[in-house]
């Protein structure tokens, strides 16, 4: 073995010490700076220091470089968060509408959605699987891991509840004699 200081990716050992000093000196102020720009400032600062460690050669004005990279990372994070919130909001709005509006329909979609929300989770699943999914009670029973007679009984109870809530007869009533 030689007495030459070890190298990491062609860089002297002293770089680790310098990075540690920069981290001690600037991490707090950088987090404070990034906090005004994004929701997770620690991530932006951490990414900046990782990028600094990967720089070949290390920038001359390290502080200015760190602030610029933290700012860029924080702005990217903020834009990403905003895009995600927008997507989630659009999804939530479309998800709350279980039925597409149709002026010629005899059933009020909003009222039907509200009525479906009043059912238990299993009743709601059964009604949707039966009416809109076209599944047979045998298939619904397998889907929910219940007996076929339980699926049929839950369906009938749900339909009766929906009829009371909507004040309308259901066009897809099943044969009551089975």
């Amino acid at each position: 073995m030689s007495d030459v200081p070890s190298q990491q990716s062609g860089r002297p050992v002293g770089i680790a010490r310098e990075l540690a000093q920069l981290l001690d000196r600037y991490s707090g102020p950088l987090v404070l700076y990034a906090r005004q720009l994004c929701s997770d400032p620690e991530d932006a600062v951490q990414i900046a220091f990782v990028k600094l460690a990967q720089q070949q050669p290390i920038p001359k004005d390290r502080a200015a470089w760190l602030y610029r990279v933290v700012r860029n990372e924080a702005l990217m994070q903020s834009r990403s968060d905003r895009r995600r919130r927008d997507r989630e909001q659009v999804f939530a709005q479309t998800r709350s509408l279980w039925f597409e509006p149709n002026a010629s329909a005899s059933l009020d979609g909003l009222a039907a959605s509200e009525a479906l929300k009043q059912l238990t989770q299993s009743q709601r699943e059964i009604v949707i699987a039966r009416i809109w999914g076209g599944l047979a009670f045998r298939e619904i029973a397998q889907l929910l891991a219940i007996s076929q007679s339980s699926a049929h009984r839950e369906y009938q109870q749900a339909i009766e509840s929906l009829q009371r809530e909507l004040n309308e007869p259901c066009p897809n009533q099943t044969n009551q004699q089975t």
Side-chain angles (χ1 to χ4, degrees):
M1 297 227 154
S2 69
D3 293 334
V4 176
S6 67
Q7 303 242 339
Q8 182 180 25
S9 303
R11 303 173 102 176
V13 175
I15 192 67
R17 188 175 312 116
E18 185 180 352
L19 282 173
Q21 291 170 348
L22 289 169
L23 186 63
D24 288 342
R25 166 71 178 95
Y26 291 108
S27 64
L30 285 168
V31 168
L32 182 61
Y33 177 73
R35 190 168 284 139
Q36 68 179 326
L37 301 171
C38 68
S39 61
D40 199 358
E42 292 84 3
D43 276 359
V45 172
Q46 181 178 8
I47 290 169
F49 275 99
V50 168
K51 286 183 176 183
L52 179 62
Q54 296 170 341
Q55 286 296 304
Q56 293 273 351
I58 290 187
K60 292 194 186 314
D61 190 355
R62 290 158 182 81
W65 188 93
L66 281 168
Y67 273 90
R68 186 176 67 245
V69 172
V70 165
R71 181 179 188 278
N72 291 342
E73 289 298 324
L75 290 174
M76 284 191 312
Q77 185 188 105
S78 181
R79 283 190 295 268
S80 176
D81 289 347
R82 187 173 46 253
R83 284 190 303 265
R84 183 178 56 253
R85 272 193 313 273
D86 291 347
R87 281 192 309 272
E88 288 171 354
Q89 186 177 18
V90 167
F91 178 74
Q93 289 171 347
T94 58
R95 178 146 170 112
S96 66
L97 299 175
W98 290 8
F99 301 97
E100 292 182 17
N102 184 350
S104 65
S106 63
L107 181 64
D108 177 14
L110 188 57
S113 294
E114 290 303 316
L116 279 168
K117 288 178 184 177
Q118 301 304 314
L119 299 176
T120 66
Q121 177 69 29
S122 65
Q123 286 177 334
R124 192 169 39 249
E125 287 184 58
I126 291 168
V127 167
I128 292 171
R130 175 75 176 145
I131 294 176
W132 288 278
L135 297 182
F137 288 111
R138 174 185 47 77
E139 295 167 316
I140 294 170
Q142 288 175 338
L143 173 68
L144 299 177
I146 59 175
S147 69
Q148 188 172 337
S149 61
S150 293
H152 187 264
R153 183 177 57 254
E154 290 271 336
Y155 175 78
Q156 286 180 321
Q157 290 171 353
I159 292 298
E160 289 169 9
S161 176
L162 290 172
Q163 286 173 335
R164 281 191 307 274
E165 188 73 27
L166 296 172
N167 251 350
E168 288 194 26
C170 183
N172 291 345
Q173 279 190 334
T174 59
N175 183 357
Q176 299 286 335
Q177 298 171 355
T178 47

